[in-house]
Amino acid sequence: MKLTIIGTGYVGLVTGACFAEMGNTVTCVDIDKKKIEGLKKGVLPIYEPGLESVVTNNHKNGRLNFCTALNDPEAESDVYFIAVGTPPGEDGSADLQYVLAVAREIGRHISRYTVVVDKSTVPVGTADKVRDAIREELKKRGVDVPCDVVSNPEFLKEGAAVEDFMRPDRVVIGTDSEQVRKVMRDLYLPFMRNHERLLFMGVRDAEMTKYAGNAMLATKISFMNEIANLCELMGVDVENVRQGIGSDSRIGYSFIYPGAGYGGSCFPKDVKALVRMARNHDFEPKVLDAVEARNEAQKHVLFEKIRRRYGANLKGMTFGLWGLAFKPGTDDMREASSVVLLNELLGAGATVKAYDPVAMTAAKREFPRAWFDGGQLKLVDEQYSALDGVDAMILITEWKPFRHPDFERIRKIMKKAVIFDGRNLYDPQLLRDAGFEYSGIGR
């Protein structure tokens, strides 16, 4: 099948590459010329495990192409996927300007029956707006071209997006058209030879499913963080509590790890957008408000521990930070807990030496140049270098190389053997027996 993907971010690039991997002819379109030129040369704008080889191999074999405009002959297609960003507005609602701009552009160019797929995370009712925008442009052209708009939300985890796409646990498709059902089933069946995992539903149902799914996962995280904070006050080890409740099959172990708060491009944005949707319908989302409030507070927990230990003025102190990305497996620092923590540490006068396996370039873009020029924030190229001569170590992203480090080496190179564990990665008793002062979350 011939496909066009508009947008080459996490969702668009993974979608295009994986469809091409299954033999489809795919063109990815993005108005960012520099990004497109880079992709043609095999330079990816994001880090995602396994994605680079899929992109480069399919581009080399002619199944995956890149261009900057829908009027390019390569971009003519049977199915158009809209995969552009929907950043949060000032009120938390999803900004649809890019989605609707793409819809209008599609309306200016299609000449035969077309299926338009909303792959971006969009509020309930967006498919109607996309359809109206396309029809408006067709009317201006004085043509009557049939078009169906489908909701096909993505459920990709950053750090495992290629695997999630190639082996989905479900594919949600919102449509009322039998013709669209056939097109989408044909498109996705190669990804589910073991058994079909297509879930067909109404368009609005599919749009809500994406938000409800992310909000549910965010709720589990915030709930566990709240329990962890309570455990700490009551002399309870939350790790034992986590295992105790996780063994209940109705709860499970996923997304109940306490920590320094969730981040990334999905959970924070989607919870805020769902809250805004609720209020737009005069509904008070009390649970969602609490989820968001707990997460915002949780991002300050590590600094509060540091402040209680050392006082409000940290001038003259140096901290070693392990991790910058919002989670392992990605270089994404959007809404990352590390950003909040670094702003607080540097604001209190501290110096920080930081290391992350893949997010160093992203960090250089994220933070003010003055921090680097003034020496307050130093990015080092090796994890132990971040701990040399520091007053305390802080772990905030649970990358695999951080899980079982050489603690004897760490104790020798640190000025003081103090560890603040923002992801409960280490055993408190083992570290205390090894001569460390240890502080975790709810332990």
Side-chain angles (χ1 to χ4, degrees):
M1 198 177 295
K2 194 171 183 182
L3 311 174
T4 297
I5 318 290
I6 301 104
T8 57
Y10 278 97
V11 176
L13 192 56
V14 171
T15 299
C18 291
F19 276 136
E21 182 76 359
M22 288 299 184
N24 298 284
T25 300
V26 181
T27 299
C28 289
V29 183
D30 200 298
I31 59 173
D32 187 332
K33 293 181 180 179
K34 184 177 179 181
K35 185 187 289 188
I36 292 298
E37 288 305 313
L39 285 166
K40 289 179 178 179
K41 297 173 183 176
V43 179
L44 274 61
I46 57 172
Y47 173 81
E48 184 63 40
L51 181 59
E52 184 176 358
S53 61
V54 179
V55 170
T56 54
N57 289 341
N58 282 283
H59 180 56
K60 180 181 178 181
N61 293 327
R63 291 189 297 269
L64 182 61
N65 304 297
F66 304 100
C67 66
T68 58
L70 282 179
N71 61 4
D72 190 303
E74 285 187 331
E76 188 175 351
S77 178
D78 304 309
V79 182
Y80 291 84
F81 282 82
I82 300 177
V84 294
T86 53
E90 291 184 7
D91 62 354
S93 62
D95 186 347
L96 295 178
Q97 63 172 310
Y98 305 113
V99 170
L100 296 179
V102 169
R104 287 190 288 271
E105 192 69 15
I106 290 172
R108 294 183 189 117
H109 293 100
I110 58 174
S111 57
R112 62 178 187 269
Y113 172 72
T114 303
V115 175
V116 177
V117 183
D118 279 336
K119 199 69 175 169
S120 302
T121 301
V122 293
V124 175
T126 297
D128 297 334
K129 295 179 180 179
V130 169
R131 186 182 300 107
D132 290 344
I134 293 171
R135 286 175 176 171
E136 184 180 335
E137 293 301 322
L138 292 172
K139 186 177 180 180
K140 288 179 183 178
R141 291 167 56 197
V143 296
D144 184 16
V145 179
C147 171
D148 280 312
V149 179
V150 187
S151 176
N152 175 214
E154 54 84 16
F155 298 96
L156 307 177
K157 299 184 296 290
E158 289 189 39
V162 174
E163 178 69 16
D164 287 347
F165 200 102
M166 299 300 284
R167 296 176 178 83
D169 52 14
R170 81 286 201 200
V171 175
V172 172
I173 298 170
T175 181
D176 298 319
S177 165
E178 282 302 321
Q179 186 173 0
V180 170
R181 283 177 177 239
K182 182 180 185 306
V183 170
M184 298 302 285
R185 177 177 277 111
D186 288 347
L187 186 57
Y188 275 108
L189 278 181
F191 296 94
M192 46 193 73
R193 293 190 67 192
N194 181 273
H195 65 281
E196 186 171 321
R197 294 180 289 280
L198 290 167
L199 296 176
F200 288 102
M201 59 184 70
V203 175
R204 286 174 170 256
D205 304 339
E207 290 171 335
M208 177 57 98
T209 296
K210 168 64 175 180
Y211 280 103
N214 277 354
M216 184 69 242
L217 298 176
T219 299
K220 291 184 74 173
I221 295 170
S222 281
F223 172 81
M224 204 63 205
N225 280 333
E226 187 137 306
I227 293 297
N229 295 337
L230 183 59
C231 285
E232 194 161 316
L233 294 172
M234 299 177 70
V236 177
D237 188 343
V238 74
E239 177 61 15
N240 292 327
V241 175
R242 182 190 70 79
Q243 293 187 38
I245 67 172
S247 61
D248 186 331
S249 61
R250 296 169 301 174
I251 299 171
Y253 292 102
S254 299
F255 291 88
I256 60 168
Y257 290 87
Y262 60 75
S265 62
C266 294
F267 288 4
K269 175 175 69 71
D270 292 352
V271 171
K272 288 182 175 69
L274 193 51
V275 166
R276 177 47 53 187
M277 278 188 267
R279 293 215 162 94
N280 286 344
H281 287 80
D282 298 320
F283 180 82
E284 197 63 27
K286 294 181 180 180
V287 172
L288 295 174
D289 279 339
V291 169
E292 187 178 4
R294 166 48 54 206
N295 191 59
E296 289 304 309
Q298 200 69 19
K299 291 182 178 182
H300 300 279
V301 165
L302 274 179
F303 180 75
E304 285 304 307
K305 289 176 175 288
I306 293 166
R307 186 185 59 79
R308 286 197 299 269
R309 172 64 174 79
Y310 298 109
N313 185 356
L314 302 179
K315 193 170 184 179
M317 297 196 67
T318 301
F319 294 87
L321 181 64
W322 275 8
L324 291 164
F326 86 92
K327 72 171 191 175
T330 179
D331 61 349
D332 195 346
M333 291 185 63
R334 285 174 288 184
E335 301 279 352
S337 301
S338 64
V339 176
V340 175
L341 177 62
L342 280 167
N343 273 286
E344 292 178 317
L345 287 172
L346 273 62
T351 296
V352 177
K353 296 198 292 185
Y355 170 77
D356 187 285
V358 302
M360 306 291 265
T361 300
K364 291 175 183 176
R365 295 193 301 264
E366 179 71 33
F367 299 115
R369 184 179 179 85
W371 287 4
F372 300 106
D373 292 344
Q376 260 195 293
L377 178 57
K378 302 171 183 176
L379 301 180
V380 298
D381 57 8
E382 191 270 335
Q383 67 186 72
Y384 293 101
S385 298
L387 306 182
D388 191 14
V390 302
D391 294 283
M393 166 188 163
I394 307 167
L395 183 137
I396 203 163
T397 312
E398 62 276 32
W399 286 95
K400 288 180 180 178
F402 300 162
R403 293 185 183 182
H404 199 260
D406 185 342
F407 285 112
E408 184 177 351
R409 178 181 176 184
I410 290 173
R411 187 170 52 81
K412 288 178 179 178
I413 62 176
M414 291 176 69
K415 186 187 297 183
K416 296 178 181 176
V418 180
I419 293 178
F420 294 93
D421 183 357
R423 300 296 173 186
N424 286 356
L425 210 56
Y426 307 129
D427 184 302
Q429 194 57 51
L430 285 178
L431 286 185
R432 288 169 185 145
D433 290 346
F436 286 90
E437 179 183 328
Y438 174 88
S439 179
I441 306 292
R443 309 206 69 179

